Structures are given as C-alpha cells and as structure tokens.
Amino acid sequence: DIVDRSRNSFATPYIGASGTDSFGATVRFGPPRLRRSAVRQATVRGIPGSVTLPEKCVFSKKTTNLFYCGVPRNSLSGGTLISWYKGTTYLADDVWKYDPNTSSTMITNLNQESGDFLDVIKPMLSPNERYFVFINKKDGSLWSLDLTK
C-alpha cells in the first residue's frame, strides 16, 4: 500500500497478469474508487460498475485485462472501511466480472447462492479459470463459485 499522510489517503496498486496494466483503489475520506492504469501508456480511467476494494479482486491469467471481484452490496464509507480493515465489521458481497475494455457484469448474488452473507477475501481463480475461489472473512471458510454456470 502507498500512504500519503499529507492528503489523508492511501492507494493499493495491483499489477495485471500481463505485467503492463495495474488497478487499485484510492481512498480519500469516502468510498474507494477502482481504477485501471495502463502502465506503458500512462493513462488512468475509472472502471464502470460497483465500487469495491482491490483486495477482493483477482486477474485472469488467460485473458488480458479481465478480472473478477467480490463487490459489497452496500455502499462503502470511510468508517465502514476502517472497521472492515480492523476486522470488526463484515461486508456482504456479490461477484462481478470486469473487462475494462467492454463492460462490467454481476455474475451472482452470493447471498442467494449460499443462503448466507459472504465477505470475499483472498480471491483466486482455479488453474483452468472455471472457478472463483475465495475465503469468507467472517468465519474463514473456503468457497468456490463455478464461473461456467
């Protein structure tokens, strides 16, 4: 993480599978803004769709610029973020598929799929990228979502 105390903000950068793109969130007294940066072209643009944290996202290794994220159902505020990072509150996530060159798509409502509210952390894709695998922050349980359905 990059902390800028003079601006009371922090950014969490992530490098894409191709090594040429990155995405991250910058928080300044409000909800995070997920952004994509083209490292070689030095451009930054917002990503359409719901707001989330980069810790809830994972890049595809097969398809350039494609990534999947756990996205909180409720809006994020500075107080909610602090509580979430401290582990005193949990978020109820959906899973979204992002392709910054085309569009964003909600894949599933995790609450309807599981019968419980799930808080996505440590997401990863299976080697064949058929499954979105993650840990539920609330209880440490391991979950997987079939992306082909």
Side-chain angles (χ1 to χ4, degrees):
D1 291 353
I2 301 166
V3 178
D4 182 349
R5 295 193 192 281
S6 67
R7 293 187 178 160
N8 294 314
S9 67
F10 67 91
T12 307
Y14 282 74
I15 301 298
S18 67
T20 59
D21 290 333
S22 67
F23 75 100
T26 302
V27 179
R28 286 193 187 107
F29 295 116
R33 299 290 181 238
L34 191 62
R35 301 188 187 285
R36 174 182 173 268
S37 301
V39 175
R40 290 196 178 140
Q41 290 86 15
T43 60
V44 177
R45 62 182 169 146
I47 296 173
S50 294
V51 174
T52 192
L53 301 168
E55 291 91 335
K56 294 179 168 283
C57 298
V58 61
F59 267 98
S60 166
K61 292 180 180 173
K62 292 183 174 186
T63 307
T64 304
N65 296 327
L66 179 68
F67 58 100
Y68 298 87
C69 297
V71 177
R73 298 185 64 78
N74 298 318
S75 62
L76 298 173
S77 67
T80 302
L81 288 173
I82 291 168
S83 296
W84 186 81
Y85 279 112
K86 287 181 175 180
T88 58
T89 192
Y90 302 100
L91 303 172
D93 292 333
D94 293 324
V95 175
W96 284 64
K97 175 182 175 181
Y98 290 94
D99 182 344
N101 295 320
T102 57
S103 63
S104 312
T105 307
M106 185 174 87
I107 295 176
T108 192
N109 176 323
L110 286 178
N111 177 248
Q112 287 179 350
E113 288 287 320
S114 69
D116 196 5
F117 292 103
L118 302 178
D119 189 352
V120 173
I121 60 168
K122 300 182 181 178
M124 62 184 90
L125 294 172
S126 62
N128 63 2
E129 298 193 2
R130 180 177 177 177
Y131 295 96
F132 177 82
V133 181
F134 63 94
I135 294 174
N136 181 13
K137 184 177 180 183
K138 188 166 71 170
D139 63 8
S141 58
L142 182 64
W143 290 79
S144 68
L145 175 68
D146 187 340
L147 297 172
T148 62
K149 290 185 177 181

